[in-house]
Amino acid sequence: MLSKKQHLVYAIVGALVVLSTIALVLSLVQIEDVTLPPTVKYGMVFDAGSSHTSLFVYEWDSDKENDTGVVSQTLSCDVQGHGISSYANDPLKAGDSLRECLDKALKVVPAAKQRDVPAYLGATAGMRLLREQNGSAADQILTEVAKTMQEYPVAFKGARILTGEEEGAYGWITINYLLESFTKYSPKAHTWLRPEAANIFGALDLGGASTQISFMPEGSEINWNETSKLTLYGYNYSIYTQSYLCYGQNEMLKRLAKELIAESSSSMRVAHPCYPKGYNETISLSSFCTSPCTNRSDPRLTLSDRNVTLEGRGNASQCLAAVKKLFNFSACGQRQDCSFDGFYQPPLRGQFTAFSAFYYNFNFLNLTEGQSLATVRETIEHFCTRSWEDLSSSYPEENPERLPKYCANANYILTLLLDAYKFNETSWNNIYFQMKTGSADAGWTLGYMLNLTNMIPAEAPAHFKGHVPSLWVAAIAFIILTFALGFVALLLLLWM
């Protein structure tokens, strides 16, 4: 009969055998790491333009693609009223104007994430002009805007005035992102890949107070000091971008009116070749003092409070000639690497997307379907000859303040693209007029957000930590088992 010591020894040996076997089995079982889905991040950007303000809300997964978030547009909201620069005499209203869109934005962002949402306001040419004319008023508007945004449960990052070059570069980023020039999702590979033959587009932006052209130049004689360097999705890009203040369509119309009045020897009634026959507009000369683009002294014109009536003539050729006088093409001399006003521009390269006012004007004229330059010219010329009575009855739903301006705007676009930027009969076919790709708007805000995500560290995916299968774990288990059994065997020999 076994003694108590022998029972104890056998029990210990049995327990060790069982435990060692369990350790051995566990070491050989493969348990993979379980990766949790990436969290969704949000960001919001106000585009405070010269004529209006819009809010865009974006979202992207926290695990980024080559250090740049894959961003999609969640919401766009147009702020009621004019641009924030119009509140120079009442800055408080600039901040209050944003509230309705901010309230809408918080409805699409989960409450738990709102305080982590980076929120920005970028002001463009309208505020650049106001800063030139009244710096303190511009600063006060930005202060009031910031106060309003800081009242909301978001991570307010600042309200500032963008340079024209930043506006152009971010617009270029937006266009190429939307057209999948930087990265494209491969369902087969289940990942984002850079297109093998990436087709990089140029960007043409026309706002109310400025216009921008941006593209990737090519050639050995390029002045690379005039380019900007960007890094997106792990690749470097060098782009040329130029912004022209006072060459947005609203400022152009003011400058055109002033030029026509000055040429008429300050008459009380002035013929306007771009306005339709039968349309009259009365303006005060003092209105030219409200913008740095038109308040410059002109010996032919004395700015005062008197009113002048502009009478439409509906003459396409005279309209085009009048618009061309707004550019200083002689400043370039015989240089081919020059656009106008003496500004450097390398040779055009590749295809371009024209958005904002480029698109809106040509879309109204049904010229966004790739029509030839000859067709575009013919359509514009015919439109300019239509009377105000004809236009107002044909387009009853069109804004009556905008309708008489399409002739001038269209001829301005032709001059800007052909004479200034140097597109021709052949390269005209490389321009695509569009405002949306998918559900996202063209413009600088998406590019700004994409560039912003380059500065946000990639968030490491959360894991459930499992056992890592390896031979050394099995070896340790065997060693433990061997020593344990040897030790027990030694005890048996001593006790029995």
Side-chain angles (χ1 to χ4, degrees):
M1 194 167 178
L2 297 176
S3 65
K4 289 183 179 181
K5 287 185 178 181
Q6 289 176 322
H7 280 292
L8 179 60
V9 170
Y10 291 148
I12 293 174
V13 171
L16 288 172
V17 170
V18 171
L19 291 174
S20 299
T21 303
I22 292 174
L24 176 61
V25 171
L26 288 176
S27 70
L28 297 176
V29 173
Q30 181 174 345
I31 303 177
E32 295 183 350
D33 282 0
V34 179
T35 303
L36 293 175
T39 60
V40 176
K41 288 180 174 288
Y42 295 86
M44 60 179 67
V45 185
F46 275 103
D47 175 2
S50 60
S51 57
H52 73 282
T53 299
S54 297
L55 171 63
F56 298 93
V57 178
Y58 300 103
E59 65 176 71
W60 64 93
D61 288 341
S62 57
D63 59 338
K64 299 182 299 177
E65 173 64 22
N66 284 345
D67 292 332
T68 309
V70 180
V71 181
S72 60
Q73 182 175 309
T74 302
L75 172 75
S76 66
C77 178
D78 291 328
V79 174
Q80 296 298 313
H82 298 291
I84 61 174
S85 59
S86 66
Y87 298 107
N89 296 324
D90 194 354
L92 282 173
K93 288 185 178 179
D96 290 338
S97 69
L98 310 181
R99 296 185 185 278
E100 184 176 350
C101 282
L102 282 168
D103 291 336
K104 290 182 179 180
L106 294 183
K107 292 180 180 179
V108 302
V109 178
K113 296 178 178 288
Q114 290 175 359
R115 294 197 176 277
D116 295 324
V117 174
Y120 298 81
L121 182 139
T124 54
M127 286 293 286
R128 291 199 289 271
L129 287 175
L130 180 60
R131 182 172 56 188
E132 282 190 16
Q133 190 175 33
N134 189 338
S136 61
D139 291 341
Q140 189 60 39
I141 287 174
L142 292 178
T143 298
E144 294 301 330
V145 162
K147 286 180 181 178
T148 296
M149 295 182 69
Q150 287 170 335
E151 293 176 12
Y152 285 76
V154 295
F156 174 66
K157 298 295 185 179
R160 69 182 186 89
I161 301 174
L162 272 65
T163 67
E165 287 65 36
E166 287 177 320
E167 186 178 359
Y170 293 140
W172 177 86
I173 294 174
T174 295
I175 289 300
N176 285 286
Y177 173 81
L178 293 177
L179 296 174
E180 298 185 329
S181 301
F182 298 136
T183 185
K184 186 174 183 178
Y185 187 75
S186 171
K188 184 177 180 179
H190 300 291
T191 189
W192 292 83
L193 302 173
R194 186 176 193 243
E196 292 183 5
N199 186 17
I200 305 297
F201 277 70
L204 298 167
D205 184 7
L206 177 59
S210 70
T211 184
Q212 286 75 231
I213 178 172
S214 307
F215 62 95
M216 282 184 65
E218 183 180 43
S220 58
E221 298 181 0
I222 300 300
N223 182 356
W224 294 108
N225 292 326
E226 298 286 342
T227 63
S228 301
K229 291 177 171 54
L230 302 171
T231 300
L232 290 160
Y233 299 97
Y235 291 87
N236 298 321
Y237 299 89
S238 293
I239 69 167
Y240 163 84
T241 182
Q242 182 62 55
S243 178
Y244 297 93
L245 193 59
C246 295
Y247 284 89
Q249 72 171 17
N250 294 341
E251 295 300 325
M252 175 276 298
L253 290 170
K254 294 177 186 176
R255 293 171 56 220
L256 177 60
K258 181 183 177 182
E259 181 67 20
L260 292 171
I261 294 172
E263 288 182 347
S264 68
S265 301
S266 300
S267 172
M268 300 296 290
R269 306 186 75 84
V270 176
H272 197 309
C274 302
Y275 283 169
K277 292 179 182 177
Y279 176 82
N280 297 329
E281 180 183 62
T282 301
I283 62 174
S284 170
L285 295 185
S286 61
S287 65
F288 294 136
C289 299
T290 61
S291 169
C293 301
T294 51
N295 70 354
R296 300 183 181 96
S297 61
D298 189 323
R300 301 169 298 170
L301 183 65
T302 301
L303 298 181
S304 64
D305 289 334
R306 70 184 179 90
N307 294 334
V308 173
T309 299
L310 301 172
E311 299 179 336
R313 292 291 185 266
N315 189 309
S317 60
Q318 290 182 11
C319 175
L320 186 60
V323 166
K324 287 185 178 182
K325 291 181 180 179
L326 303 178
F327 295 82
N328 183 359
F329 293 115
S330 62
C332 290
Q334 300 301 313
R335 290 170 52 198
Q336 296 301 309
D337 60 349
C338 181
S339 55
F340 63 95
D341 290 1
F343 283 96
Y344 168 80
Q345 178 184 299
L348 299 173
R349 175 196 179 194
Q351 297 172 306
F352 286 75
T353 295
F355 51 97
S356 298
F358 283 119
Y359 171 81
Y360 293 130
N361 286 289
F362 270 37
N363 181 60
F364 174 82
L365 297 171
N366 295 317
L367 293 174
T368 59
E369 302 300 323
Q371 289 89 341
S372 67
L373 180 56
T375 299
V376 170
R377 280 176 164 151
E378 182 181 345
T379 300
I380 294 172
E381 186 171 347
H382 173 69
F383 181 85
C384 290
T385 62
R386 299 176 66 178
S387 68
W388 177 237
E389 182 181 3
D390 175 20
L391 292 176
S392 56
S393 62
S394 299
Y395 304 98
E397 297 182 1
E398 183 63 22
N399 186 329
E401 293 184 4
R402 189 181 299 125
L403 184 57
K405 313 250 184 0
Y406 280 112
C407 174
N409 292 341
N411 279 290
Y412 178 64
I413 288 174
L414 281 181
T415 303
L416 187 60
L417 295 178
L418 298 175
D419 299 280
Y421 294 158
K422 293 182 170 51
F423 286 92
N424 54 35
E425 295 277 350
T426 302
S427 58
W428 178 268
N429 298 322
N430 291 332
I431 305 175
Y432 298 88
F433 295 86
Q434 62 187 90
M435 194 60 217
K436 275 182 176 286
T437 297
S439 61
D441 293 84
W444 64 265
T445 54
L446 177 55
Y448 185 79
M449 183 59 65
L450 284 166
N451 192 59
L452 169 68
T453 60
N454 261 340
M455 297 179 284
I456 299 176
E459 182 178 294
H463 289 74
F464 288 120
K465 297 298 182 182
H467 294 279
V468 180
S470 60
L471 291 177
W472 68 267
V473 176
I476 292 174
F478 276 118
I479 292 171
I480 293 174
L481 177 61
T482 302
F483 274 100
L485 292 177
F487 179 71
V488 172
L490 179 60
L491 289 177
L492 286 173
L493 290 175
L494 294 173
W495 291 350
M496 292 181 67

Short mmCIF file of all heavy atoms in Angstrom, two decimals, residues 247-268:
data_model
loop_
_atom_site.label_atom_id
_atom_site.label_comp_id
_atom_site.label_asym_id
_atom_site.label_seq_id
_atom_site.Cartn_x
_atom_site.Cartn_y
_atom_site.Cartn_z
N TYR A 247 -8.27 90.80 -60.22
CA TYR A 247 -8.68 90.20 -61.49
C TYR A 247 -9.76 89.13 -61.30
O TYR A 247 -9.98 88.31 -62.19
CB TYR A 247 -7.46 89.62 -62.21
CG TYR A 247 -6.61 90.69 -62.87
CD1 TYR A 247 -5.58 91.30 -62.18
CD2 TYR A 247 -6.87 91.11 -64.17
CE1 TYR A 247 -4.81 92.30 -62.77
CE2 TYR A 247 -6.11 92.10 -64.77
CZ TYR A 247 -5.07 92.69 -64.06
OH TYR A 247 -4.32 93.69 -64.65
N GLY A 248 -10.43 89.15 -60.14
CA GLY A 248 -11.63 88.36 -59.99
C GLY A 248 -12.76 89.02 -60.76
O GLY A 248 -12.68 90.21 -61.11
N GLN A 249 -13.86 88.30 -61.03
CA GLN A 249 -14.87 88.84 -61.93
C GLN A 249 -15.60 90.05 -61.35
O GLN A 249 -15.94 90.98 -62.10
CB GLN A 249 -15.85 87.76 -62.36
CG GLN A 249 -16.82 87.29 -61.32
CD GLN A 249 -17.89 86.38 -61.93
OE1 GLN A 249 -17.75 85.88 -63.03
NE2 GLN A 249 -18.96 86.19 -61.19
N ASN A 250 -15.85 90.10 -60.06
CA ASN A 250 -16.55 91.26 -59.50
C ASN A 250 -15.70 92.52 -59.58
O ASN A 250 -16.19 93.60 -59.92
CB ASN A 250 -16.95 90.98 -58.05
CG ASN A 250 -17.98 89.88 -57.93
OD1 ASN A 250 -18.66 89.55 -58.90
ND2 ASN A 250 -18.11 89.31 -56.74
N GLU A 251 -14.42 92.37 -59.24
CA GLU A 251 -13.52 93.53 -59.32
C GLU A 251 -13.29 93.91 -60.77
O GLU A 251 -13.12 95.10 -61.09
CB GLU A 251 -12.19 93.22 -58.62
CG GLU A 251 -12.31 93.01 -57.12
CD GLU A 251 -12.87 94.22 -56.39
OE1 GLU A 251 -12.58 95.36 -56.81
OE2 GLU A 251 -13.60 94.03 -55.40
N MET A 252 -13.28 92.93 -61.66
CA MET A 252 -13.14 93.23 -63.09
C MET A 252 -14.30 94.09 -63.57
O MET A 252 -14.09 95.07 -64.32
CB MET A 252 -13.09 91.92 -63.88
CG MET A 252 -13.07 92.08 -65.39
SD MET A 252 -14.70 92.29 -66.20
CE MET A 252 -15.50 90.75 -65.79
N LEU A 253 -15.52 93.76 -63.16
CA LEU A 253 -16.69 94.53 -63.58
C LEU A 253 -16.62 95.98 -63.09
O LEU A 253 -16.98 96.91 -63.81
CB LEU A 253 -17.97 93.85 -63.08
CG LEU A 253 -18.33 92.53 -63.75
CD1 LEU A 253 -19.47 91.84 -63.00
CD2 LEU A 253 -18.72 92.74 -65.22
N LYS A 254 -16.13 96.15 -61.86
CA LYS A 254 -15.96 97.51 -61.33
C LYS A 254 -14.90 98.28 -62.12
O LYS A 254 -15.10 99.46 -62.47
CB LYS A 254 -15.55 97.47 -59.85
CG LYS A 254 -16.60 96.90 -58.92
CD LYS A 254 -16.04 96.84 -57.50
CE LYS A 254 -16.98 96.14 -56.54
NZ LYS A 254 -16.39 96.01 -55.18
N ARG A 255 -13.80 97.62 -62.40
CA ARG A 255 -12.71 98.26 -63.14
C ARG A 255 -13.17 98.60 -64.56
O ARG A 255 -12.81 99.64 -65.12
CB ARG A 255 -11.48 97.36 -63.16
CG ARG A 255 -10.84 97.18 -61.78
CD ARG A 255 -9.77 96.10 -61.81
NE ARG A 255 -8.76 96.39 -62.82
CZ ARG A 255 -8.21 95.47 -63.61
NH1 ARG A 255 -8.59 94.20 -63.51
NH2 ARG A 255 -7.30 95.81 -64.49
N LEU A 256 -13.96 97.70 -65.16
CA LEU A 256 -14.47 97.94 -66.51
C LEU A 256 -15.39 99.15 -66.53
O LEU A 256 -15.28 100.02 -67.41
CB LEU A 256 -15.20 96.69 -67.00
CG LEU A 256 -15.88 96.79 -68.38
CD1 LEU A 256 -14.84 97.10 -69.46
CD2 LEU A 256 -16.63 95.50 -68.70
N ALA A 257 -16.29 99.23 -65.56
CA ALA A 257 -17.20 100.37 -65.48
C ALA A 257 -16.43 101.67 -65.30
O ALA A 257 -16.74 102.69 -65.94
CB ALA A 257 -18.19 100.17 -64.34
N LYS A 258 -15.44 101.65 -64.43
CA LYS A 258 -14.65 102.86 -64.20
C LYS A 258 -13.92 103.29 -65.47
O LYS A 258 -13.87 104.48 -65.79
CB LYS A 258 -13.64 102.61 -63.07
CG LYS A 258 -12.80 103.83 -62.75
CD LYS A 258 -11.76 103.55 -61.68
CE LYS A 258 -10.88 104.78 -61.44
NZ LYS A 258 -9.82 104.52 -60.45
N GLU A 259 -13.37 102.32 -66.20
CA GLU A 259 -12.64 102.64 -67.43
C GLU A 259 -13.59 103.23 -68.48
O GLU A 259 -13.24 104.20 -69.17
CB GLU A 259 -11.98 101.37 -67.97
CG GLU A 259 -11.17 101.56 -69.24
CD GLU A 259 -9.94 102.41 -69.05
OE1 GLU A 259 -9.48 102.55 -67.90
OE2 GLU A 259 -9.43 102.94 -70.06
N LEU A 260 -14.77 102.67 -68.62
CA LEU A 260 -15.73 103.18 -69.59
C LEU A 260 -16.16 104.60 -69.24
O LEU A 260 -16.30 105.46 -70.13
CB LEU A 260 -16.95 102.26 -69.65
CG LEU A 260 -16.72 100.86 -70.22
CD1 LEU A 260 -17.95 99.98 -70.02
CD2 LEU A 260 -16.35 100.93 -71.71
N ILE A 261 -16.36 104.86 -67.95
CA ILE A 261 -16.76 106.20 -67.50
C ILE A 261 -15.64 107.20 -67.73
O ILE A 261 -15.86 108.33 -68.19
CB ILE A 261 -17.18 106.17 -66.01
CG1 ILE A 261 -18.44 105.34 -65.84
CG2 ILE A 261 -17.38 107.58 -65.48
CD1 ILE A 261 -18.81 105.08 -64.39
N ALA A 262 -14.40 106.77 -67.44
CA ALA A 262 -13.26 107.67 -67.63
C ALA A 262 -13.07 108.03 -69.09
O ALA A 262 -12.73 109.17 -69.44
CB ALA A 262 -11.99 107.02 -67.08
N GLU A 263 -13.33 107.07 -69.99
CA GLU A 263 -13.15 107.33 -71.43
C GLU A 263 -14.26 108.21 -71.99
O GLU A 263 -14.11 108.77 -73.07
CB GLU A 263 -13.13 106.00 -72.18
CG GLU A 263 -11.87 105.19 -71.97
CD GLU A 263 -11.87 103.90 -72.78
OE1 GLU A 263 -12.95 103.54 -73.30
OE2 GLU A 263 -10.81 103.28 -72.90
N SER A 264 -15.36 108.32 -71.28
CA SER A 264 -16.50 109.09 -71.80
C SER A 264 -16.47 110.55 -71.37
O SER A 264 -17.48 111.25 -71.50
CB SER A 264 -17.81 108.46 -71.32
OG SER A 264 -17.94 108.62 -69.91
N SER A 265 -15.35 111.00 -70.86
CA SER A 265 -15.20 112.39 -70.39
C SER A 265 -16.20 112.73 -69.30
O SER A 265 -16.79 113.82 -69.26
CB SER A 265 -15.37 113.36 -71.57
OG SER A 265 -14.41 113.10 -72.57
N SER A 266 -16.40 111.76 -68.42
CA SER A 266 -17.25 111.95 -67.24
C SER A 266 -18.68 112.34 -67.59
O SER A 266 -19.31 113.16 -66.92
CB SER A 266 -16.63 113.00 -66.30
OG SER A 266 -15.36 112.57 -65.88
N SER A 267 -19.21 111.80 -68.67
CA SER A 267 -20.60 112.04 -69.04
C SER A 267 -21.53 111.39 -68.02
O SER A 267 -21.17 110.43 -67.34
CB SER A 267 -20.88 111.46 -70.43
OG SER A 267 -22.25 111.52 -70.74
N MET A 268 -22.74 111.90 -67.93
CA MET A 268 -23.71 111.36 -67.00
C MET A 268 -24.34 110.06 -67.50
O MET A 268 -24.89 109.30 -66.73
CB MET A 268 -24.82 112.40 -66.74
CG MET A 268 -24.31 113.71 -66.14
SD MET A 268 -23.57 113.50 -64.50
CE MET A 268 -25.02 113.11 -63.54
#
